[in-house]
C-alpha cells in the first residue's frame, strides 16, 4: 500500500497532510487505486473490442468518452475516500479531522489526471485489436 499511496500522492509532491494520513490509516488507497485502474481499462476495452463501431470512430467521441470515464472515476474514488475517512475517524472517535474540501478537490484532480492518462494508454493498447476504431485517437 505504500507504493500505491506514493503514486497517488505524486511521490510526495501532493502530500495533503491529514487527508493523506487518514487515507493511509483507513486503507482507502487500495480500493481507490483498483477503481482508478479498472474503470478506464474496462471502458477502453468496451470501446475498442466490444463495441468497435464506425460511428464511434471519431476523435471528438473518443475524447468525450475519456473525459466521462475520468469524471466517473473521480466521483467514485472521492466517494470511497470520503466513506473510508469518515468510517475511520468515527471508529477512532476523532472529532476534528483537519480534512478540508480543498483536500478532496486536490485529490480528485490527481485522480482525474491519472484516469485520463490510463484511458489514453489503454486506448493505445486496445486499438491494435480493433478494426473500425483503429485510427482513434490517432
Amino acid at each position: 500500500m505504500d507504493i500505491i499511496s506514493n503514486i497517488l500522492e505524486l511521490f510526495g509532491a501532493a502530500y495533503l497532510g491529514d487527508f493523506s494520513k487518514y487515507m493511509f490509516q483507513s486503507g482507502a488507497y487500495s480500493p481507490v487505486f483498483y477503481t482508478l485502474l479498472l474503470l478506464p481499462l474496462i471502458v477502453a476495452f468496451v470501446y475498442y473490442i466490444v463495441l468497435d463501431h464506425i460511428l464511434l470512430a471519431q476523435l471528438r467521441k473518443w475524447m468525450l468518452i475519456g473525459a466521462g470515464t475520468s469524471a466517473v472515476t473521480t466521483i467514485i474514488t472521492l466517494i470511497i475516500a470520503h466513506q473510508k475517512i469518515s468510517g475511520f475517524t468515527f471508529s477512532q472517535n476523532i472529532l476534528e479531522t483537519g480534512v478540508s474540501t480543498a483536500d478532496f478537490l486536490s485529490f480528485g484532480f490527481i485522480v482525474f489526471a491519472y484516469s485520463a492518462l490510463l484511458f489514453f494508454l489503454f486506448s493505445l493498447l486496445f486499438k491494435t485489436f480493433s478494426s473500425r476504431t483503429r485510427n482513434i485517437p490517432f
Side-chain angles (χ1 to χ4, degrees):
M1 185 158 49
D2 246 358
I3 188 70
I4 294 172
S5 64
N6 281 332
I7 290 170
L8 291 174
E9 292 173 357
L10 302 175
F11 299 97
Y15 181 75
L16 299 171
D18 288 334
F19 178 84
S20 296
K21 178 179 79 173
Y22 291 133
M23 283 283 289
F24 188 81
Q25 290 175 345
S26 67
Y29 279 119
S30 293
V32 164
F33 182 75
Y34 295 135
T35 303
L36 175 62
L37 191 64
L38 288 176
L39 202 56
L41 175 71
I42 291 168
V43 172
F45 178 80
V46 168
Y47 178 81
Y48 284 101
I49 307 300
V50 177
L51 293 179
D52 193 24
H53 198 276
I54 195 69
L55 292 177
L56 294 175
Q58 296 175 4
L59 183 61
R60 183 171 162 227
K61 290 181 182 178
W62 176 82
M63 289 176 69
L64 287 173
I65 291 170
T69 301
S70 297
V72 169
T73 303
T74 302
I75 291 168
I76 291 171
T77 56
L78 287 176
I79 290 170
I80 292 169
H82 185 267
Q83 288 179 342
K84 289 285 195 172
I85 290 174
S86 297
F88 178 77
T89 56
F90 181 76
S91 69
Q92 300 295 321
N93 292 325
I94 300 171
L95 299 176
E96 288 298 320
T97 61
V99 176
S100 68
T101 305
D103 295 334
F104 280 99
L105 290 175
S106 298
F107 184 70
F109 180 75
I110 293 167
V111 169
F112 187 90
Y114 270 130
S115 180
L117 176 67
L118 286 172
F119 182 76
F120 176 74
L121 293 175
F122 291 138
S123 292
L124 293 179
L125 174 72
F126 289 130
K127 78 181 221 165
T128 59
F129 303 107
S130 174
S131 59
R132 294 179 185 97
T133 54
R134 171 170 269 160
N135 295 325
I136 303 299
F138 42 80

